[in-house]
């Protein structure tokens, strides 16, 4: 086998693991772009050190060991990414103010296609989706880095305790202890968004709810929107730390500070194991529509319990493969392909 053939073969073997490794690093780091950087670093390290790989474990296990070390190195600064409701109290509409915080503050959204590999087992697919939802991701961020790694490897990826112990160069007893402490911390933090229940694929009732939401939002019909929202629904807008609770404050915000969103168009996306939309609002200068937000929706018992608007569109829309402008024709129904 020639060197070029061996190189191509290794490239293919490494790339087979990119999506699942990105999902792992994303759960560890809470950042879309840091996760992709971590995986790229993992691939480079694997490439450079492949001759030292002795094959005592599988290539997949070896890559996870490298990725874990990369993530732990990145987490030494102690930064914990969060949602607005993890940092401040809910603000009444009368006191609403848009105060941004730095990018590194926030838990970031991620397209399903970049972090959820295709699996045949429906139960395995459901666990994977639940483990990238915003509420679970926010809870993970409260764990010390090694506990975070243990919980993800044991609970999400279903590794054996002995396999995790080998990966982390520790004992099975230490792994079991870390898992117990991590579970206790997560149990204490059950809260906003933790009860989101979304079928995979969406059941008929949930799909109708999304269709009604899309029609209400695009029509800017606050009466119709109120009927879809749980009375304790939450709305967030990173990078602003403001968050609102209840349909009255949410719709009140949308018709005052958020009134520029009237006339928007929505494009369905799959994000963080949940349904969502890319929102384009009217562009009065260039015409057509300009990117405004990636919306992530949480559903429970036939109502919307949370919707989260991620506003840094110059970063998010390319990540989702979405155009940075829609003309009026493209924005007509059935004229825009779903972002992936």
């Amino acid at each position: 086998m020639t060197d070029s053939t061996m190189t191509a073969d290794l490239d293919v073997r490494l790339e087979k693991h990119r999506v699942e490794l990105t999902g792992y690093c994303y759960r560890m780091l809470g950042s879309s772009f840091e996760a992709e950087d971590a995986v790229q670093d993992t691939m480079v390290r694997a490439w450079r050190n492949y001759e030292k790989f002795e094959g005592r474990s599988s290539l997949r296990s070896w890559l996870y060991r490298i990725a874990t070390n990369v993530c732990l190195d990145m987490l030494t600064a102690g930064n914990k990414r969060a949602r607005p409701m993890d940092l401040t109290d809910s603000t009444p509409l009368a006191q609403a103010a848009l105060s941004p915080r730095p990018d590194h503050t926030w838990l970031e959204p991620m397209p399903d296609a970049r972090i959820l590999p295709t699996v045949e087992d429906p139960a395995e697919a459901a666990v994977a989706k639940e483990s990238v939802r915003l509420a679970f991701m926010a809870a993970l961020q409260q764990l010390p880095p090694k506990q975070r790694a243990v919980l993800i490897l044991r609970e999400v990826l279903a590794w054996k305790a002995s396999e995790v112990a080998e990966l982390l160069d520790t004992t099975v007893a230490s792994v079991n202890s870390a898992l117990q402490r991590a579970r206790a911390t997560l149990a204490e933090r059950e809260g906003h968004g933790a009860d989101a229940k979304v079928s995979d694929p969406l059941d008929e009732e949930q799909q109708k709810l999304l269709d009604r939401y899309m029609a209400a939002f695009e029509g800017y019909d606050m009466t119709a929107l109120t009927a879809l929202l749980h009375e304790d629904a939450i709305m967030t807008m990173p990078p602003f730390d403001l968050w609102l609770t209840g349909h009255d404050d949410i719709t009140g915000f949308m018709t005052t500070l958020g009134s520029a969103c009237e006339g928007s168009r929505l494009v369905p996306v799959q994000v963080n194991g949940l349904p969502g939309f890319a929102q384009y609002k009217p562009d009065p200068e260039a015409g057509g529509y300009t990117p405004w937000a990636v919306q992530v929706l949480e559903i429970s018992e036939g109502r919307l319990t949370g919707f989260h608007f991620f506003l840094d569109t110059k970063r998010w829309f390319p990540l989702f493969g979405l155009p940075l402008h829609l003309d009026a024709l493209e924005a007509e129904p059935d004229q825009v392909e779903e972002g992936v």
Side-chain angles (χ1 to χ4, degrees):
M1 185 180 292
T2 66
D3 288 345
S4 60
T5 303
M6 292 176 62
T7 298
D9 178 61
L10 181 56
D11 282 340
V12 170
R13 292 174 66 198
L14 293 177
E15 284 299 318
K16 285 181 180 178
H17 300 282
R18 182 176 290 275
V19 172
E20 65 170 312
L21 286 172
T22 304
Y24 175 63
C25 293
Y26 175 63
R27 294 179 184 98
M28 285 290 291
L29 300 170
S31 164
S32 316
F33 298 101
E34 286 184 3
E36 297 205 325
D37 288 346
V39 172
Q40 193 57 36
D41 191 0
T42 297
M43 296 298 188
V44 170
R45 293 190 191 189
W47 178 260
R48 289 176 177 169
N49 294 285
Y50 186 68
E51 290 183 356
K52 300 177 185 177
F53 174 54
E54 299 174 353
R56 288 181 296 178
S57 62
S58 67
L59 177 64
R60 178 175 181 258
S61 297
W62 185 59
L63 289 171
Y64 269 95
R65 174 189 286 268
I66 298 172
T68 300
N69 289 332
V70 170
C71 290
L72 292 177
D73 287 345
M74 294 174 72
L75 288 167
T76 53
N79 180 48
K80 296 179 180 179
R81 290 177 176 266
R83 305 167 298 170
M85 53 275 209
D86 301 320
L87 301 178
T88 65
D89 291 330
S90 177
T91 305
L93 178 60
Q95 301 171 19
L98 298 178
S99 304
R101 296 200 187 192
D103 290 340
H104 62 74
T105 306
W106 303 115
L107 189 63
E108 297 179 346
M110 192 67 151
D112 286 1
R114 288 181 177 263
I115 51 174
L116 297 176
T118 302
V119 294
E120 294 182 1
D121 182 354
E124 185 180 344
V127 168
K129 282 197 168 188
E130 289 171 4
S131 70
V132 294
R133 290 179 183 162
L134 296 174
F136 184 79
M137 290 284 296
L140 280 178
Q141 295 293 300
Q142 301 305 310
L143 300 176
K146 285 196 174 180
Q147 282 187 31
R148 203 178 304 179
V150 167
L151 184 90
I152 297 166
L153 291 166
R154 291 282 285 120
E155 301 276 274
V156 178
L157 301 177
W159 285 40
K160 297 177 182 177
S162 57
E163 295 172 327
V164 178
E166 183 179 355
L167 182 146
L168 294 174
D169 291 324
T170 188
T171 64
V172 169
S174 293
V175 167
N176 289 335
S177 177
L179 180 60
Q180 186 176 11
R181 293 195 303 272
R183 285 172 172 166
T185 300
L186 261 60
E188 292 172 1
R189 284 192 51 83
E190 286 188 2
H192 303 299
D195 61 345
K197 299 292 188 293
V198 182
S199 302
D200 183 24
L202 296 179
D203 62 32
E204 183 178 358
E205 180 184 353
Q206 291 168 348
Q207 187 57 58
K208 286 181 178 178
L209 177 64
L210 290 182
D211 292 344
R212 291 168 63 198
Y213 170 78
M214 186 172 181
F217 194 95
E218 290 191 338
Y220 232 60
D221 183 339
M222 295 301 114
T223 300
L225 186 60
T226 296
L228 305 178
L229 296 177
H230 190 278
E231 62 181 11
D232 295 324
I234 288 171
M235 176 180 177
T236 70
M237 292 161 284
F240 302 115
D241 57 15
L242 170 74
W243 62 284
L244 301 167
T245 305
H247 44 63
D248 289 342
D249 276 4
I250 289 171
T251 56
F253 178 89
M254 292 176 66
T255 54
T256 54
L257 291 175
S259 61
C261 290
E262 185 170 358
S264 290
R265 292 293 176 263
L266 301 181
V267 177
V269 294
Q270 296 297 316
V271 50
N272 285 85
L274 292 163
F277 293 96
Q279 178 191 344
Y280 292 83
K281 71 174 185 176
D283 186 341
E285 297 181 2
Y289 299 85
T290 189
W292 183 244
V294 170
Q295 302 182 7
V296 184
L297 306 184
E298 293 168 336
I299 300 172
S300 182
E301 297 179 354
R303 296 286 184 93
L304 293 172
T305 55
F307 55 143
H308 309 285
F309 293 68
F310 291 90
L311 303 181
D312 192 354
T313 52
K314 288 184 179 179
R315 301 173 74 214
W316 304 133
F317 276 51
L319 185 71
F320 282 78
L322 294 160
L324 292 176
H325 183 81
L326 291 182
D327 63 32
L329 178 62
E330 287 178 310
E332 290 301 314
D334 301 324
Q335 295 297 311
V336 181
E337 294 185 2
E338 180 176 328
V340 295

